[in-house]
Amino acid sequence: MGEAAEEFGGVTPDAARRLLLGAVEAFAERGFHATTTRDIAGRAGMSPAALYIHYRTKEELLYQISRVGHERAVRILSAAAEGGGSAAERLSTAVRAFVRWHAEHHTTARVVQYELTALGTEHYAEIVGMRRRTEEILRGVLADGVADGEFTVEDLRGTALAVLSLCVDVARWFRTGGPRTPEEIGTLYAGLALRMVGAGPTRSSG
Amino acid sequence: MGEAAEEFGGVTPDAARRLLLGAVEAFAERGFHATTTRDIAGRAGMSPAALYIHYRTKEELLYQISRVGHERAVRILSAAAEGGGSAAERLSTAVRAFVRWHAEHHTTARVVQYELTALGTEHYAEIVGMRRRTEEILRGVLADGVADGEFTVEDLRGTALAVLSLCVDVARWFRTGGPRTPEEIGTLYAGLALRMVGAGPTRSSG
């Protein structure tokens, strides 16, 4: 769980942080509905009663995990979108960073991506808002590239969603110790994303 | 659950089929680990004891769902790969059909894609073999396109995986009644896949 320890490093106090790490681990292994607050407290080396000092419900833990994960997604994409360079350079940076996060933090990312429907109504609405924001950021980079004549994209919304989707799905299939590093997948996918917007290197084969 | 009823239509007897439908519904809603055989039997309108006539364990139900789903994936991709036409036409057909399946059968597809790790060792190995087969089929189409000079792909394995991954992730975000039909997403994604292999329509913008 080194990957999650890094992601939730900013959460204080220490007990609240350890409970989030226990929740990520339990939700990823067993799913939200099969996890009890007792499981989570146990993984954090605490009593079930101690958990309730920090989180009112199991859903509150899922919400905090989702919030941290989606804030990270918005930050990664904003940094790339607002960084210098051409639209192609910014798209490439965004895809590399987004892929790397989904590979390196694949356990956290799976919880963030696949347990959304277990959130309560208000929390779900808040997270959906953050998801819209990530889509808008990427769509903005694509629109810039089209305006500059770098990209050819007929369906900006659908293409932006597809590029994000390709990155997100890395969390599903990535295995630590597999044949490719997160960095290598990021490089491959940045090239594929450039092609998806009509800006890829299109050397003739041979 | 009309989507699953269609997918498991060939399962007999009727009770075994109804149990599979109940299991897809329960696993999709609550996850494998939070689902009991009592839940599944109840959804099929049967007693827990009646379930064991057809399936020895809950894992056996998951295995049957995974097997049917993966057999379907192999069939869809084989039919496209072995169909007539250029590599570009076959890739386009494969992507359209694979996307359409993941959109139309998104509940089944989520169980098939996200609950794999709950399979027993032997069942898991069998399913992994079928997944390798789907990758090989798509890689074959890409290799044909490269050999024919239609495609420019440096990393056949990584690009084939990425195209499949893009299609699979449709199951995560697709909502029935959303802004795009399965057919429309299939058309968009077929165009994106052609671009990913360096064969997309690359008209200049404007």
Side-chain angles (χ1 to χ4, degrees):
Chain A
M1 292 303 296
E3 59 159 271
E6 182 193 322
E7 198 55 32
F8 298 99
V11 176
T12 56
D14 182 60
R17 191 180 56 76
R18 279 189 290 131
L19 286 163
L20 277 189
L21 299 183
V24 167
E25 194 179 89
F27 294 159
E29 270 178 40
R30 308 260 311 155
F32 176 81
H33 295 290
T35 298
T36 62
T37 50
R38 179 175 293 273
D39 289 342
I40 296 168
R43 287 171 194 259
M46 292 163 62
S47 71
L51 182 146
Y52 292 105
I53 296 171
H54 303 283
Y55 301 98
R56 280 167 302 173
T57 61
K58 184 173 68 160
E59 191 269 351
E60 177 80 20
L61 281 150
L62 178 63
Y63 164 64
Q64 294 300 340
I65 294 164
S66 296
R67 199 179 52 74
V68 169
H70 283 86
E71 280 176 356
R72 171 60 59 130
V74 170
R75 263 205 310 282
I76 288 171
L77 296 174
S78 300
E82 293 160 11
S86 65
E89 284 162 349
R90 290 182 288 136
L91 175 61
S92 176
T93 303
V95 168
R96 273 171 204 274
F98 207 50
V99 162
R100 213 167 50 228
W101 189 81
H102 281 87
E104 289 173 353
H105 300 273
H106 57 96
T107 309
T108 305
R110 283 177 206 161
V111 174
V112 167
Q113 296 294 345
Y114 303 143
E115 300 285 358
L116 271 188
T117 54
L119 289 171
T121 311
E122 282 185 32
H123 287 160
Y124 182 75
E126 182 185 332
I127 299 295
V128 166
M130 296 171 81
R131 294 173 82 80
R132 287 222 186 89
R133 186 76 200 103
T134 62
E135 293 166 24
E136 283 163 9
I137 294 167
L138 201 76
R139 200 159 67 234
V141 176
L142 267 50
D144 289 347
V146 170
D148 295 347
E150 286 184 78
F151 300 167
T152 313
V153 179
E154 284 182 17
D155 181 342
L156 277 178
R157 182 179 296 265
T159 304
L161 268 172
V163 170
L164 290 174
S165 171
L166 183 65
C167 299
V168 164
D169 197 53
V170 170
R172 178 180 58 85
W173 60 261
F174 183 80
R175 299 287 176 272
T176 304
R180 291 165 197 264
T181 64
E183 192 62 51
E184 287 165 351
I185 301 164
T187 300
L188 173 64
Y189 277 37
L192 292 173
L194 287 172
R195 284 185 158 191
M196 289 165 83
V197 299
T202 46
R203 291 156 267 178
S204 60
S205 63
Chain B
M1 292 302 295
E3 59 159 90
E6 181 192 322
E7 197 56 32
F8 299 99
V11 176
T12 56
D14 181 60
R17 193 180 53 77
R18 280 189 289 133
L19 286 163
L20 277 189
L21 298 183
V24 167
E25 194 179 88
F27 294 159
E29 272 179 37
R30 309 260 310 155
F32 176 81
H33 295 289
T35 298
T36 62
T37 50
R38 178 174 292 273
D39 290 341
I40 296 168
R43 287 171 194 259
M46 293 164 63
S47 71
L51 181 147
Y52 293 105
I53 296 171
H54 303 283
Y55 302 98
R56 280 165 303 172
T57 61
K58 183 173 68 159
E59 190 271 349
E60 178 79 20
L61 280 149
L62 178 63
Y63 165 64
Q64 293 301 339
I65 294 164
S66 296
R67 199 180 51 74
V68 169
H70 282 87
E71 280 176 357
R72 170 62 58 127
V74 170
R75 262 205 311 281
I76 287 171
L77 296 174
S78 300
E82 294 160 10
S86 65
E89 285 162 348
R90 289 182 287 136
L91 175 61
S92 176
T93 303
V95 168
R96 273 171 203 275
F98 207 49
V99 163
R100 214 167 50 227
W101 188 82
H102 282 87
E104 288 172 353
H105 301 272
H106 58 97
T107 309
T108 305
R110 284 178 206 160
V111 173
V112 166
Q113 297 294 346
Y114 303 143
E115 301 285 358
L116 272 187
T117 54
L119 289 171
T121 311
E122 282 184 32
H123 287 161
Y124 182 76
E126 183 185 331
I127 298 295
V128 166
M130 295 170 82
R131 295 174 80 82
R132 288 223 185 88
R133 186 76 199 103
T134 62
E135 293 166 23
E136 284 163 9
I137 293 167
L138 201 77
R139 201 159 67 234
V141 176
L142 267 49
D144 289 348
V146 170
D148 295 348
E150 286 183 77
F151 300 166
T152 313
V153 179
E154 284 182 18
D155 181 343
L156 277 178
R157 180 178 297 265
T159 305
L161 267 172
V163 170
L164 290 173
S165 172
L166 183 65
C167 299
V168 164
D169 197 53
V170 170
R172 177 180 58 84
W173 60 262
F174 183 80
R175 300 287 174 274
T176 305
R180 290 164 196 266
T181 65
E183 193 61 53
E184 287 165 350
I185 301 165
T187 300
L188 172 64
Y189 277 38
L192 292 172
L194 286 172
R195 283 184 159 191
M196 288 165 84
V197 299
T202 45
R203 291 156 269 178
S204 61
S205 64

